[in-house]
Amino acid sequence: NAGVTQTPKFRILKIGQSMTLQCTQDMNHNYMYWYRQDPGMGLKLIYYSVGAGITDKGEVPNGYNVSRSTTEDFPLRLELAAPSQTSVYFCASSYQETQYFGPGTRLLVL
Amino acid sequence: GESVGLHLPTLSVQEGDNSIINCAYSNSASDYFIWYKQESGKGPQFIIDIRSNMDKRQGQRVTVLLNKTVKHLSLQIAATQPGDSAVYFCAETSGAGTALIFGKGTTLSVSS
């Protein structure tokens, strides 16, 4: 199993641009999550999904959107990038409580 | 109130020593706790977990202790190795499909 994979690894965006961060898991987990991690801090939940077709907001959802059309994929969309969205983004999945994380996408908005 | 097991942002140990990393959790309703290890440039990696109906759980070279009275977790690493150098986070949750609430990380540095 590859586990949780994320693409791209690194991206530079200009203010106002949009992009989609991809996340795929091959463990057949129902639950998937998107977190952001700012320097020196723990992770904060952006959005999560309890199954295909179901998504819900986390602690810091503003400026982001998600969709969950399949069990495997959970893309995160930034519509109008802002400097405050400069961060490292982690996708995770779980069968029960333990969440398994991908390698992260480092995003820089200039 | 008295602080038990003060959280330290950094911990430096010698190879072969035992390490103890402390964490205070916030939500009395949390019933599941996880320790993650995060190496530079990587995602958090699961180390060990414990449910709220337990006080102690042991893994390979690691032990987690839970004190619900003072909402405190600790991670003990035996015979610490240079490869254990990383940032360690505790996380709490109240169930599957809910957010992990991360504590403040502790950077462990192991010198040989």
Side-chain angles (χ1 to χ4, degrees), chain B residues 97-110:
Chain B
T98 63
L100 284 174
I101 307 300
F102 283 80
K104 298 176 182 178
T106 293
T107 300
L108 176 64
S109 298
V110 183

Side-chain angles (χ1 to χ4, degrees), chain A residues 33 35 37 48 90 97-99, chain B residues 32 36 38 43 51 97 100:
Chain A
Y33 315 79
Y35 292 86
Q37 185 178 32
Y48 68 99
F90 291 102
E97 293 93 341
T98 302
Q99 296 180 22
Chain B
Y32 185 73
Y36 284 96
Q38 188 174 24
R51 293 196 179 278
L100 284 174

Side-chain angles (χ1 to χ4, degrees), chain A residues 25-59:
Chain A
Q25 53 93 8
D26 63 358
M27 298 174 281
N28 201 32
H29 287 167
N30 283 330
Y31 303 106
M32 295 189 74
Y33 315 79
W34 273 106
Y35 292 86
R36 60 177 286 172
Q37 185 178 32
D38 297 325
M41 305 294 287
L43 283 67
K44 291 188 176 181
L45 184 67
I46 304 171
Y47 270 96
Y48 68 99
S49 169
V50 300
I54 305 170
T55 63
D56 210 343
K57 295 178 180 179
E59 181 183 358

Side-chain angles (χ1 to χ4, degrees), chain B residues 10 21-22 35 41 49 57 68 82 84 92 95 105 111:
Chain B
T10 61
I21 299 172
N22 295 305
W35 278 100
D49 57 2
R57 190 162 188 221
K68 294 181 287 294
D84 294 328
E92 59 184 295
S111 53

